[in-house]
Amino acid sequence: MRVLLALLASVALGVLFLFADRLRRPLVWLMRALLVGLTALLIIAGLAIGAAGLANEAWWAAVIGGGFLLAALRLGWALRRHTRPQAGGAAHTPAHLPRTSEPGDPRWRRFEASLDWVGRKQARSAHRSIEGLLAERASPSLTHEQRALLIACEKRVPELLDTCLDRCRHATLAERESYMDETLDRLRQLGGEAERARREVRDADDRRLHVLHRYFDNVAESDERQKKLP
């Protein structure tokens, strides 16, 4: 019996993983709606308890009501941060990935604005990785394959975004979700390849720098030995 239950649980888990990507968007919206409802309940409860406490001079109740209101404020702020599209996505690029294009690329902004907050995080991560590779365009260590990938990131990614946005303009909701999800999958894959290529290029250039460091270390040691000679 236990073996049968374990087998059924494994099958159910496999089915869940199989359909996880398609269920992601509805589940995100459901969770967001539940959190909005919870925020509203906290506000109502906080106001009711706080008002009753003040009216009856029960300060402990007023403190509890204030705590409910603070919790609602914190939850509402978190929801606002995760649901609004951030203007100027490239402007939020971390310091370890230099920005190479003008801040606030309208293509990326429009694409990200049509995604849920999970999709926006994935799109921004891909965008940062692509920008990081583009920052290495002048590196002498670029291989032929890496240069081809860099050209694809620089020339074809804007075309991909423009085409996807154009196809979404007059599409149905189901068609638009399909266009966006498929495009995001390609961008995520490309972002991973760009990140790997960037690390390889940086490592190659670092090795050249380390060789020069050792060369000048030897020069300095030789100069010190010359000074010690009588």
Side-chain angles (χ1 to χ4, degrees), residues 126-193:
H127 190 189
R128 287 193 297 268
S129 298
I130 290 170
E131 289 289 294
L133 178 60
L134 294 178
E136 306 298 331
R137 59 165 56 88
S139 171
S141 301
L142 284 167
T143 65
H144 176 74
E145 291 78 10
Q146 290 164 350
R147 289 187 185 279
L149 178 60
L150 192 148
I151 291 173
C153 290
E154 188 171 28
K155 304 296 185 182
R156 302 308 298 274
V157 167
E159 180 183 353
L160 172 63
L161 293 172
D162 281 338
T163 304
C164 176
L165 293 170
D166 181 67
R167 296 301 302 148
C168 289
R169 188 169 292 114
H170 303 295
T172 64
L173 178 61
E175 290 171 338
R176 188 159 56 246
E177 288 184 353
S178 176
Y179 295 149
M180 298 296 294
D181 289 343
E182 291 178 3
T183 301
L184 179 60
D185 286 343
R186 271 63 177 185
L187 291 172
R188 288 170 53 196
Q189 180 181 3
L190 186 63
E193 294 175 0

Side-chain angles (χ1 to χ4, degrees), residues 21-170:
D21 188 63
R22 291 187 177 274
L23 293 174
R24 174 175 57 84
R25 190 183 297 271
L27 288 176
V28 167
W29 282 105
L30 176 61
M31 183 60 66
R32 186 180 303 162
L34 291 174
L35 291 176
V36 170
L38 177 60
T39 303
L41 287 176
L42 287 173
I43 292 174
I44 294 171
L47 291 174
I49 295 173
L54 291 175
N56 297 302
E57 297 187 354
W59 304 116
W60 60 269
V63 171
I64 293 177
F68 278 22
L69 290 176
L70 287 176
L73 179 64
R74 179 66 183 87
L75 184 56
W77 177 254
L79 283 171
R80 181 175 181 269
R81 287 185 59 193
H82 286 302
T83 55
R84 67 176 182 178
Q86 295 183 5
H92 297 276
T93 301
H96 68 281
L97 289 180
R99 187 173 67 243
T100 60
S101 63
E102 291 299 320
D105 187 330
R107 297 183 183 91
W108 282 98
R109 284 211 314 272
R110 292 198 301 271
F111 182 76
E112 292 172 8
S114 300
L115 298 168
D116 56 48
W117 70 271
V118 175
R120 284 200 295 271
K121 290 179 64 176
Q122 295 172 343
R124 286 170 191 150
S125 176
H127 190 189
R128 287 193 297 268
S129 298
I130 290 170
E131 289 289 294
L133 178 60
L134 294 178
E136 306 298 331
R137 59 165 56 88
S139 171
S141 301
L142 284 167
T143 65
H144 176 74
E145 291 78 10
Q146 290 164 350
R147 289 187 185 279
L149 178 60
L150 192 148
I151 291 173
C153 290
E154 188 171 28
K155 304 296 185 182
R156 302 308 298 274
V157 167
E159 180 183 353
L160 172 63
L161 293 172
D162 281 338
T163 304
C164 176
L165 293 170
D166 181 67
R167 296 301 302 148
C168 289
R169 188 169 292 114
H170 303 295

